[in-house]
Amino acid sequence: MEPRRGLRPAQRLHGKELEGEGAGPGRGLLAAGGALLLGVFQRREPGSVLMEINTDILILGGGLAAYAAAVELRDSGREVTVVAKAPGASALNSGAWDIADSPIRGPRDEWAEWPSWREGLKEILRRQEGHPYSVLARGSGDGKFADFVAAKVRAAAEVLPLEMTEGDPLALVTDFGTVKPSAWVQASMRDADLRRWQRAKVLVLGIPGFPNFNARFLRHSLLEQQERQAKSHLDFAGSLDLEIPDLQGRVSLKPVELAQRLDREETFVAAGQAIVRYLEGKVYTHLLLPPVMGIENTRAILEALRRITGLAAAETLSGPMSVPGWRLQQAIEKFFHHRDIERLEGEAVGFDAEGRRIKSLYVHQGDQRHKVRAKAVILATGKYVGGGVARRGRWKEPVFNLPLFLQGKALRAQTLPQVSRPGVAERQPFLGAGAAINPMAQPLDADHEVVYDNLFAAGAVLADFNPAQERCAAGVSIVSGAVAARQAAAVL
């Protein structure tokens, strides 16, 4: 990447003088205490280059919250730069966008009685004062926060280079045989909505050598769950393990490898012909597939299967090692590219500030370091997966050294057992640790005061929000990203 505008070696880091390019690790800065605070230049190699880049708004992170911020800024005329060190939790996405599941919905509630996401949001606002939704709703002021959420999620879906479809709620089959609620889903999964099934006759398709998807287990699980429903969504289910050409005898196939094989026309055509032969004389209405139906050609694959079989064909949601997550991440990258948003693949490791304004950040990119001058910064680095939350002696956000909060209180040196619960299936408090914000999405210090006037935060890095166990991760990421972007543009 060629740095933009006025390239020259940077001279100061958080008010401390830098030494020359050949300085050894720790000299100068370490004596001043800067490297201890920011972790900068301890890995610096002699001869590395530090160049300068100027932008209006710098977004740290490359996932769904960063994407939502970029969507909000797309017609603002502002120059936007994204810095991301690696794909984050968005690359693990199941294929669904959860907006707001009700905290009082029971695991055995019938699918037909599941509440809408608007009802779920209402319960969150009523019960969870510190939740990001509750904090951001206090800034809306007009009592129409649910409409704001709906508008921002729909806008994010409409411009994404990946087809999404809406339902309120959807009852979606997962690849390990459970059924979960959601509000938006990749179009390849829309026909796996059990609430729309009426006496369905479903064939579950597995692939030998792909242990992530057990067709027989999933079939038994669906039939068992149907027995607890008053409405007959599922009449009967069968299963088939389909041999994929050139993969016979393989074991422990990886999801991405399998999806790439199915992207090939000759592989998919042979698989499709085998499915059609098996279906001859049978009376199935639905075809349930593992979530590996291609990466680039998923839409064409599903449309072809629906056409040649006459069945409603759909992928299940995915677990970890997610092909749908990679589709989402690729779509986000395509959006950045199509909008000419410059993306630096690197890690923010330090910053300059004057008073309560951030002036620039330092970004490691390979063996180079860039100084990025920005008028406003959006922190969307995620939680543990993305590296936005860390415990290194004490709990902190590692880029700006922000305090982390849990249940309204600042975390300090608590051990992990002190913020955990013993049961594996229990909600784990430590997963809700993050940066506290005000209704303008500005991070707060331990005294609940704004830290920097031009710093904003969005997504999983936020406090009192557990993206791993609460079904509202996509909604919070999109809405907080939009609010952070709007406020960032306002301070320029």
Side-chain angles (χ1 to χ4, degrees):
M1 189 213 73
E2 288 294 324
R4 295 174 280 125
R5 299 185 189 173
L7 306 181
R8 64 180 187 274
Q11 297 299 313
R12 297 179 65 82
L13 174 65
H14 221 48
K16 307 300 180 183
E17 295 293 338
L18 301 184
E19 295 195 354
E21 289 299 315
R27 293 180 58 192
L29 274 178
L30 187 58
L36 286 175
L37 174 63
L38 299 173
V40 180
F41 292 110
Q42 293 183 8
R43 299 185 299 274
R44 187 173 185 179
E45 297 295 332
S48 63
V49 178
L50 183 60
M51 306 304 282
E52 190 172 285
I53 297 169
N54 294 316
T55 191
D56 290 326
I57 298 175
L58 176 63
I59 302 173
L60 298 182
L64 196 55
Y67 164 73
V71 169
E72 186 71 14
L73 295 166
R74 67 190 186 279
D75 298 320
S76 68
R78 304 297 186 181
E79 186 169 16
V80 178
T81 299
V82 171
V83 170
K85 62 180 179 180
S90 294
L92 305 177
N93 179 267
S94 67
W97 282 3
D98 299 338
I99 308 304
D101 188 21
S102 173
I104 61 173
R105 183 186 62 82
R108 292 186 174 271
D109 289 355
E110 292 192 19
W111 305 327
E113 297 175 358
W114 281 356
S116 68
W117 71 258
R118 286 177 178 266
E119 294 173 287
L121 177 63
K122 184 177 180 180
E123 287 297 326
I124 291 172
L125 298 180
R126 186 171 73 87
R127 292 168 174 269
Q128 299 173 243
E129 182 179 353
H131 194 280
Y133 275 151
S134 300
V135 175
L136 297 172
R138 291 196 285 272
S140 64
D142 57 6
K144 297 181 179 179
F145 184 66
D147 292 338
F148 177 79
V149 172
K152 294 307 172 186
V153 173
R154 186 167 291 108
E158 286 175 350
V159 298
L160 184 73
L162 176 67
E163 187 180 0
M164 303 290 294
T165 188
E166 183 180 9
D168 193 15
L170 301 161
L172 299 169
V173 183
T174 72
D175 61 355
F176 45 92
T178 59
V179 181
K180 64 158 282 185
S182 195
W184 287 80
V185 71
Q186 292 181 19
S188 61
M189 303 170 177
R190 66 171 183 257
D191 287 337
D193 176 18
L194 293 174
R195 283 169 54 98
R196 295 170 53 202
W197 289 9
Q198 297 182 21
R199 301 189 65 84
K201 302 168 179 61
V202 60
L203 174 63
V204 184
L205 182 69
I207 298 172
F210 183 50
N212 299 40
F213 191 92
N214 188 315
R216 293 181 183 179
F217 174 80
L218 199 149
R219 172 174 63 89
H220 284 298
S221 179
L222 287 177
L223 291 171
E224 183 180 281
Q225 292 175 80
Q226 171 59 61
E227 292 177 0
R228 300 197 295 264
Q229 309 297 315
K231 182 178 178 180
S232 180
H233 302 275
L234 180 63
D235 192 4
F236 70 83
S239 62
L240 168 67
D241 284 334
L242 178 71
E243 291 282 358
I244 300 295
D246 302 325
L247 295 178
Q248 292 93 336
R250 291 282 303 276
V251 295
S252 299
L253 290 166
K254 301 296 187 292
V256 172
E257 175 191 10
L258 197 47
Q260 290 171 334
R261 288 295 187 105
L262 288 168
D263 265 333
R264 301 175 185 174
E265 182 178 358
E266 63 274 15
T267 301
F268 167 69
V269 168
Q273 291 171 342
I275 294 171
V276 170
R277 286 195 296 270
Y278 177 81
L279 289 172
E280 288 180 4
K282 299 180 176 66
V283 291
Y284 290 107
T285 59
H286 289 70
L287 183 62
L288 203 55
L289 304 160
V292 293
M293 295 295 112
I295 298 176
E296 298 292 338
N297 299 319
T298 304
R299 181 175 181 174
I301 290 171
L302 267 294
E303 287 179 350
L305 280 175
R306 291 163 185 154
R307 184 176 64 254
I308 65 176
T309 65
L311 307 183
E315 295 178 303
T316 68
L317 295 182
S318 177
M321 304 294 289
S322 169
V323 169
W326 279 110
R327 291 179 200 144
L328 175 60
Q329 192 64 47
Q330 284 192 358
I332 290 172
E333 299 292 339
K334 288 178 183 177
F335 176 84
F336 292 154
H337 177 72
H338 293 161
R339 292 284 174 168
D340 293 324
I341 295 172
E342 185 159 13
R343 185 186 184 280
L344 295 177
E345 186 174 336
E347 181 180 6
V349 293
F351 66 101
D352 291 338
E354 290 181 6
R356 291 195 356 172
R357 292 190 71 84
I358 294 167
K359 306 299 289 186
S360 58
L361 278 89
Y362 292 79
V363 178
H364 280 260
Q365 188 183 41
D367 60 354
Q368 294 186 333
R369 286 158 183 83
H370 300 292
K371 180 177 181 179
V372 184
R373 294 185 180 275
K375 298 173 184 177
V377 179
I378 297 173
L379 180 69
T381 46
K383 212 172 281 288
Y384 297 99
V385 173
V389 169
R391 185 186 180 280
R392 299 167 185 165
R394 65 185 183 90
W395 298 83
K396 69 173 184 177
E397 180 281 318
V399 178
F400 299 103
N401 202 35
L402 300 173
L404 299 182
F405 286 76
L406 184 61
Q407 298 173 349
K409 297 180 180 179
L411 289 169
R412 300 192 187 279
Q414 290 93 331
T415 64
L416 193 59
Q418 288 177 305
V419 290
S420 304
R421 291 175 180 164
V424 175
E426 291 189 72
R427 289 184 179 270
Q428 295 299 330
F430 76 92
L431 294 175
I437 57 170
N438 65 13
M440 280 70 73
Q442 294 172 298
L444 306 177
D445 64 18
D447 296 320
H448 295 271
E449 298 292 334
V450 171
V451 183
Y452 295 104
D453 293 331
N454 62 337
L455 176 63
F456 305 88
V461 74
L462 301 181
D464 293 327
F465 155 57
N466 178 346
Q469 294 178 306
E470 295 179 17
R471 293 190 175 100
C472 57
V476 169
S477 294
I478 292 169
V479 173
S480 60
V483 172
R486 178 179 295 186
Q487 297 299 327
V491 303
L492 300 187

